[in-house]
Each structure stands twice: as C-alpha cells, then as structure tokens.
C-alpha cells in the first residue's frame, strides 16, 4: 500500500538547495513516468494488433480460413487489452488503500460457470486442453460474499495459467465446496497447468506489483505483472488464502481458498 506524501520546503531551503530539490523531484516523478510509459506501450500493442487484423480481414474477406485466423488473433488481442485495463484499475484501488468488500447474496454456481464461459474462447483460440470440474456434494448455491472480488481472483489466476501455457497445453481447474464447523462453506479452487512454470526463488516475488521473472524459458507475454498481486490481496481481504507451487519448465499449481456464508432461506 502506498500513500501520497506532501513535502513542504521553506524559502531558505529552496534557495540553498535548488539542485538537490530538482534531483529529488525528478527521482519521484521518474518511476511514475516509467510506469505510465509501460502501461501505454502494453495497451498500444493489442490495439495496434486489432486494427491490423481488422484491415487484413477486410483485405482477405474472400479467404474464409484467413479471416477465421485473423478474427481469432484479434479476439485474443482484445482479451489482453481488457485484462490490462482491469488490472490497472484494480491496482489503483490497492495502492490507494481504497478496497472495500461489498457482500451480497449470489449464486456461486453461476459465478463459476460464468468464469468457465469467459475463459473458454481464449483456450479454444490457443487450442489448449481446458477442463473445469466442480465438486459440490452439499448442493450449495446461494451464498453471501463479495461476488465481484471472487470473480476477479479466479479470473486473474486462470487467465495467468492460460497466458503462460503454450498452444495445445493443458489447464485443469478443480473447484470444490466444503462445509466448515460453523455450517458455512469454503470454496477451494485448484488451477493446474502444463505451462512454463517459474523458479522457486521467484514464487514470493510474483506477488509483488510489477514483478515478472526474467528467464529464457519464460515467454515474453503482454502484461504488467499485477494479476497475481491483485488476486492474493483480494483473497486475503476476503479471509482466504492463495498458495503457489511451481517448477520451471514443468508447470504451476495455484490453490485458492475463500470462505463464504451460506445464505439462509
């Protein structure tokens, strides 16, 4: 969490140390400029791609196979842009310490199904083997919690698995509902992928904002390194936990556990 700070400088200090103040000002501004430049670059990339593919679709409208291929790539670019925008907005709330839980009653099964439906087109474009399993032995559906935050947590983690898994790779999602001693339910979701994985040394660093592992085995995919940081922050805010196991070149397993209240009636 960060807070804006206000620096007060007296006239005497300002006159005596203009160069120092100028240097301090530049050092304070530079990270912000660098971040905005990165965001601008990462947003321009998918926008340019969508525009380019749209032009190609128009140019080769007679070629059905080409049109299908360009449309698929344009869709993926749109998904990348949406993820960048959502994560940037969420991170603004995290850094500004402006996160408030909004608990409402909702259908847990509908949320899980919506996440599955939203991810499937991306995995189909990448020709990945995507499987989504739900184990609900108690038939729980109506629960109370922060629906929006839970959706973003699972969407970020699953999207990350899809992003770092190559074409024709495999992603398995296992969602299980377990009742606790108080009669409420814990939503446990495990996401397994056969992607590039990461080094054990980087696992904790991945939850820091803007961190991305630099390794020849890891593909250079668009993103700001915010998804997992946001996912863990939201999970802990909801009283849950998020853990990661990974092996470089083999794959990753992410486990998310979130407690929810069973709605009465």
């Amino acid at each position: 969490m960060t807070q804006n700070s206000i620096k007060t400088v007296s006239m005497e200090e300002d006159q005596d140390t203009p160069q120092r103040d100028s240097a301090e000002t530049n050092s304070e501004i530079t990270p912000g400029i660098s971040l905005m430049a990165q965001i601008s670059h990462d947003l321009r990339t998918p926008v340019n791609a969508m525009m380019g593919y749209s032009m190609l679709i128009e140019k080769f409208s007679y070629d059905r196979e080409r049109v299908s291929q360009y449309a698929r790539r344009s869709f993926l670019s749109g998904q990348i842009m949406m993820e960048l925008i959502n994560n940037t907005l969420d991170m603004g709330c995290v850094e500004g310490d402006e996160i408030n839980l909004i608990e409402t009653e909702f259908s847990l099964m509908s949320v899980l199904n919506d996440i599955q439906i939203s991810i499937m087109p991306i995995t189909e474009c990448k020709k990945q083997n995507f499987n989504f399993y739900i184990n609900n032995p108690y038939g729980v559906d109506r629960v109370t919690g922060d629906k929006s935050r839970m959706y973003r947590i699972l969407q970020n983690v699953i999207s990350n698995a899809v992003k770092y898994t190559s074409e024709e790779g495999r992603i398995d999602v296992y969602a299980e509902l377990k009742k606790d001693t108080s009669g409420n339910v814990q939503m446990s979701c495990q996401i397994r992928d056969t992607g590039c994985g990461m080094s054990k040394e980087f696992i904790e660093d991945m939850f820091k904002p803007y961190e991305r592992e630099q390794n020849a085995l890891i593909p250079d995919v668009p993103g700001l390194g915010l998804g997992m940081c946001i996912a863990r922050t939201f999970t802990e805010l909801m009283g849950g936990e998020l853990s990661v196991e990974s092996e470089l070149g083999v794959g990753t397993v992410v486990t998310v556990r979130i407690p929810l209240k069973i709605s009465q009636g």
Side-chain angles (χ1 to χ4, degrees), residues 197-206 213 244-248 250-251:
M198 70 193 85
S199 65
K200 288 180 171 55
E201 294 76 19
F202 183 74
I203 288 178
E204 278 307 311
D205 287 339
M206 74 181 294
E213 185 168 23
V244 176
E245 299 173 46
S246 188
E247 186 175 345
L248 192 61
V250 176

Side-chain angles (χ1 to χ4, degrees), residues 24-36:
E24 287 177 352
T25 301
N26 288 338
S27 67
E28 289 172 3
I29 292 175
T30 300
I33 293 176
S34 176
L35 175 58
M36 287 307 298

Side-chain angles (χ1 to χ4, degrees), residues 233-245:
T233 300
F234 286 177
T235 301
E236 292 178 347
L237 187 68
M238 294 182 70
E241 57 183 23
L242 187 156
S243 60
V244 176
E245 299 173 46

Side-chain angles (χ1 to χ4, degrees), residues 106-121:
F106 63 93
S107 166
L108 182 57
M109 292 299 103
S110 292
V111 170
L112 294 176
N113 287 328
D114 287 347
I115 291 171
Q116 180 181 3
I117 291 169
S118 71
I119 297 291
M120 279 181 67

Side-chain angles (χ1 to χ4, degrees), residues 176-192:
E176 185 175 12
L177 305 180
K178 301 176 182 178
K179 280 189 176 180
D180 59 25
T181 54
S182 64
N184 288 319
V185 69
Q186 182 184 76
M187 194 283 301
S188 176
C189 192
Q190 188 176 83
I191 300 93
R192 293 177 171 268

